[in-house]
Amino acid sequence: GAVVSQHPSRVICKSGTSVKIECRSLDFQATTMFWYRQFPKQSLMLMATSNEGSKATYEQGVEKDKFLINHASLTLSTLTVTSAHPEDSSFYICSATPRWGSYNEQFFGPGTRLTVL
Amino acid sequence: TQLLEQSPQFLSIQEGENLTVYCNSSSVFSSLQWYRQEPGEGPVLLVTVVTGGEVKKLKRLTFQFGDARKDSSLHITAAQPGDTGLYLCAGVRGEKLTFGTGTRLTIIP
């Protein structure tokens, strides 16, 4: 159990376009979902925390108007990178906290590789 | 910013050798987690240590949480090629994780 999926796994887009990434908890309802970004050879950096039905909380330095997060249900959160530029190219990873687990238990998705040309 | 520094950053050793990875912070965390991440995949949780001084063993892996809950170590005995990967510590505070800088481990057959 506790499987998290992401779609797409890879995406290549042109500079200036928007890209949507989906994060789904497949076999559980998630209290909270998190979005991370990981640049090559680096660690994961938390971008934002989202709870179903409420606005996401963004970490310092993350532009909320550029990285739009919609947490439509207890099993789905989406991250939209608006007007993407080459510097947004990164590995985006989501995680989800089950309603039945301890509050600090996160299950991670497989990640989405975004390349902006 | 709460930083967790891991050392070494890179480690390449022969199969069968032992190794230790360190995770250090100036901040106290309620618990600390260790993950392993394969290329192109999300991190997978290995262990959570909660109590200062706690030691947990997972087969050939031994995890220790510092007495002050600011640091941790991961010791691998008789490393195998399957242990190759990126090892990440993560400090837990509330619902958030703060990841360490990472240790890229390569085990040479």
Side-chain angles (χ1 to χ4, degrees), chain B residues 15-49:
Chain B
E15 179 178 0
E17 294 185 354
N18 302 332
L19 65 106
T20 302
V21 176
Y22 299 92
C23 172
N24 294 295
S25 173
S26 57
S27 301
V28 175
F29 293 97
S30 57
S31 61
L32 194 136
Q33 299 178 333
W34 283 92
Y35 292 81
R36 189 170 88 186
Q37 185 182 21
E38 304 289 345
E41 299 180 11
V44 175
L45 179 66
L46 297 174
V47 77
T48 300
V49 284

Side-chain angles (χ1 to χ4, degrees), chain A residues 10 31-32 34 36 38 40-46 49 51 57-60 91 93 95 97 103-111 113, chain B residues 1 6 9-10 30-31 33 35 37-45 48 86 88-89 92-102 104:
Chain A
R10 289 178 175 271
T31 308
T32 307
F34 303 85
Y36 296 83
Q38 185 176 31
K41 310 292 185 185
Q42 295 187 25
S43 187
L44 280 74
M45 296 296 293
L46 179 64
T49 303
N51 293 286
T57 303
Y58 291 81
E59 295 299 299
Q60 191 173 8
F91 194 50
I93 305 173
S95 70
T97 298
Y103 64 89
N104 60 12
E105 187 170 27
Q106 295 184 26
F107 294 92
F108 287 82
R113 173 80 56 195
Chain B
T1 304
Q6 287 184 235
Q9 186 178 0
F10 298 95
S30 57
S31 61
Q33 299 178 333
Y35 292 81
Q37 185 182 21
E38 304 289 345
E41 299 180 11
V44 175
L45 179 66
T48 300
L86 177 65
L88 297 161
C89 65
V92 180
R93 184 175 291 122
E95 62 178 0
K96 291 186 180 180
L97 299 180
T98 300
F99 279 88
T101 48
R104 192 163 298 278

